[in-house]
Amino acid sequence: MVLQHLEPDCTDTVTIKGDQTMRVNADFNERILVRFKENEWIASPMPGVDRKMLDRIGEEVARATTIVRFAPGSAFSAHTHDGGEEYLVIDGTFQDEGGDFPAGFYVRNPPTSSHTPAAQDGATILVKLYQFDLADRTQVQVDSAKGDWLDAKDGVSRLPLHADMSETVAMERWDAGTARTLDASDGLEIFVIDGSLNEGGDTLFRWDWLRLPVGARFEATAGAHGARVWIKTGHLNHVTEPAA
């Protein structure tokens, strides 16, 4: 099911009686800014695992963008990602059968993949669920600390993370005061890993998240200490609701 005009336009969690669909920031035609410090932690079904919901359609099986915090020693039960999972480790060390993934790692686990996530010493991740082409089977693991960053140009250095026919994902470092224009014609998400930037009159700080709709323009300027950001573009033309 392709969702073109999702209602209601939610900034809070809403449960619709009958289909029990949770919708958080579910109008993809709107510019959405979520500030980390103003967004409350919500307990997950697993002890020691809390979440800040950025956008969501669905209950525990959901198309979702979330900041997830694992307390030291916490874990999730083994599970399969029918719609795929994409995450960026932003603090601590995240673990599963594939190994240890310290802060700065970007991982894509495609549809039908399974794992048992944990964090012996604690971790925080930015995670996106059920946002893959269901035929995708590409596994991606990139350590940004060791990645092939492209040479800085006009105050910007860039680390490509993933690209396919429907989306492009990258990490960028912007020098202080750098003005940056990006193609947001097919939608854009940007997450501030550290530093700050100004966009549309708003200043975004560490772990703030911005989503721009299809047809938007993105023009931003890095703050006094520069910015390191995670960027996804080209992916919001076709937003699908997860199967029940």
Side-chain angles (χ1 to χ4, degrees):
M1 175 181 180
V2 177
L3 305 177
Q4 297 292 345
H5 298 278
L6 298 172
E7 297 293 344
D9 177 12
C10 302
T11 55
D12 296 318
T13 300
V14 175
T15 300
I16 309 300
K17 292 183 179 180
D19 66 6
Q20 295 296 300
T21 299
M22 181 186 294
R23 299 187 187 276
V24 178
N25 292 326
D27 186 345
F28 287 81
N29 301 291
E30 297 293 326
R31 175 185 184 272
I32 299 293
L33 170 60
V34 180
R35 297 192 181 279
F36 177 79
K37 291 184 176 180
E38 298 175 3
N39 194 8
E40 297 296 323
W41 289 108
I42 299 171
S44 81
M46 303 303 293
V49 182
D50 299 317
R51 302 179 285 196
K52 291 195 178 198
M53 297 183 182
L54 305 179
D55 65 28
R56 193 175 190 91
I57 306 169
E59 296 300 305
E60 284 308 307
V61 176
R63 182 205 188 279
T65 306
T66 313
I67 298 173
V68 183
R69 179 180 64 187
F70 290 77
S74 61
F76 252 96
S77 303
H79 57 271
T80 298
H81 289 291
D82 291 334
E85 172 195 57
E86 172 186 23
Y87 66 83
L88 174 69
V89 184
I90 56 177
D91 187 55
T93 299
F94 187 70
Q95 300 157 320
D96 63 15
E97 295 87 341
D100 293 348
F101 303 98
F105 251 96
Y106 171 76
V107 177
R108 292 174 68 92
N109 294 321
T112 74
S113 62
S114 61
H115 68 160
T116 308
Q120 181 177 346
D121 298 319
T124 305
I125 64 175
L126 171 71
V127 60
K128 298 177 71 66
L129 299 175
Y130 224 109
Q131 298 177 42
F132 281 57
D133 180 335
L134 294 182
D136 189 347
R137 294 296 182 269
T138 303
Q139 177 81 42
V140 176
Q141 296 180 359
V142 179
D143 182 356
S144 65
K146 301 176 181 178
D148 295 326
W149 288 84
L150 303 181
D151 291 340
K153 182 179 180 181
D154 298 327
V156 176
S157 54
R158 181 177 175 88
L159 175 64
L161 299 173
H162 175 74
D164 58 29
M165 295 295 292
S166 62
E167 66 182 36
T168 299
V169 188
M171 193 180 293
E172 292 190 353
R173 295 188 295 232
W174 303 352
D175 293 345
T178 296
R180 185 75 168 117
T181 300
L182 293 167
D183 181 8
S185 58
D186 291 319
L188 176 146
E189 289 179 52
I190 188 164
F191 179 81
V192 180
I193 302 169
D194 51 43
S196 65
L197 62 89
N198 183 276
E199 189 278 336
D202 288 313
T203 300
L204 282 66
F205 298 97
R206 182 174 183 258
W207 296 4
D208 288 350
W209 173 82
L210 174 70
R211 189 186 73 208
L212 297 181
V214 170
R217 290 179 56 84
F218 179 86
E219 297 178 349
T221 303
H225 300 287
R228 184 164 55 110
V229 297
W230 175 93
I231 303 166
K232 180 191 277 279
T233 57
H235 61 301
L236 295 178
N237 263 319
H238 301 286
V239 177
T240 58
E241 186 168 345

